[in-house]
Amino acid sequence: MSESIKNIDGGWLEGGGQILRMALVFSVLKQKPVQVYNIRAGRSNPGLRAQHLKGVEIVRDISGGKLKGGEIGSTEITLHPGKVRCGEYSADTGTAGSVGLLIQVALPCILFSNGMTILKLRGGTNAEMAPQIDYTTEIFRPLLEKFGATFDYKILKRGYYPRGGGEVHIRVNPVKELKPVNLVENGHIVSVWGWSFVAGSLSYKGNVAHLMADSAVQTLRKALRNVDVKIERYKENPDEAVGNGSGI
């Protein structure tokens, strides 16, 4: 008798892609088949877009699973996951679809694989409505390390809307389990650092990078008296960025 499938309504709450990603991750980790319907029902263009489809496909590949409904525009998918396997996996959204969201759906799966895994991901590194690659490496990664896991990364190229074309490689050594943590103290802020950058046709001398940095410094110094704030400003090397964009 086949195992019953867990049905998940992808239109719940905001009806975005997050429900889909979480359903896929728990399906793989719990080794339970899942059907997600009403995918991205709360969006103006519901169903799978390129970045969501590539996320579904890389999870299928990592788990050696069977996928039904995996095509652009599909509002319903079914995944029967297999056993997570280490190795090298690639995904290319072909658009500015977020590399950060590909990491978000793939990383929890390979954290518990049977060996070191490499992800080669292409798409947008700095796009709207998704975590910037800088957030993933500078905020999420240190927090993950508190739980006893981490990943190595290399940003080969940044990619901006609408072309994408960014490339990020992730290397992950598995863990047997994540350890619990206590984060109940705010800590004491002693310094703030960061960077502000432009790429493509945006001129460094045109002050976009400086405007963002100056505004951030002014706001931070007002909120954090007597705290050292330093933000580097620069223009991306044309060989290391695709398209026109900025970030901080």
Side-chain angles (χ1 to χ4, degrees), residues 41-185:
R43 296 292 187 257
S44 58
N45 54 346
L48 297 176
R49 303 270 67 82
Q51 72 179 42
H52 309 99
L53 176 57
K54 292 305 174 182
V56 172
E57 289 177 346
I58 199 170
V59 168
R60 174 202 62 194
D61 295 344
I62 288 169
S63 69
K66 296 180 180 179
L67 173 65
K68 180 181 178 182
E71 59 258 351
I72 295 291
S74 176
T75 58
E76 180 176 308
I77 63 102
T78 302
L79 176 68
H80 290 263
K83 188 174 180 61
V84 174
R85 302 171 297 185
C86 65
E88 183 176 302
Y89 299 94
S90 300
D92 183 353
T93 66
T95 67
S98 173
V99 167
L101 292 180
L102 290 177
I103 294 172
Q104 192 181 87
V105 71
L107 179 62
C109 302
I110 60 178
L111 273 179
F112 301 98
S113 70
N114 59 345
M116 190 265 287
T117 298
I118 293 175
L119 302 178
K120 295 184 175 181
L121 308 173
R122 289 177 59 87
T125 58
N126 299 79
E128 293 183 337
M129 304 297 289
Q132 311 293 296
I133 191 62
D134 309 84
Y135 176 88
T136 303
T137 61
E138 305 304 316
I139 305 299
F140 172 75
R141 182 171 174 260
L143 286 172
L144 178 63
E145 289 174 344
K146 293 180 182 293
F147 290 85
T150 191
F151 57 88
D152 297 323
Y153 69 92
K154 186 173 184 180
I155 303 173
L156 280 74
K157 191 172 290 187
R158 289 184 184 268
Y160 300 97
Y161 179 86
R163 293 171 57 192
E167 184 169 0
V168 178
H169 291 182
I170 301 291
R171 186 176 65 183
V172 180
N173 286 307
V175 296
K176 290 186 177 180
E177 61 182 11
L178 297 178
K179 64 183 182 182
V181 299
N182 255 331
L183 295 175
V184 295
E185 300 294 336

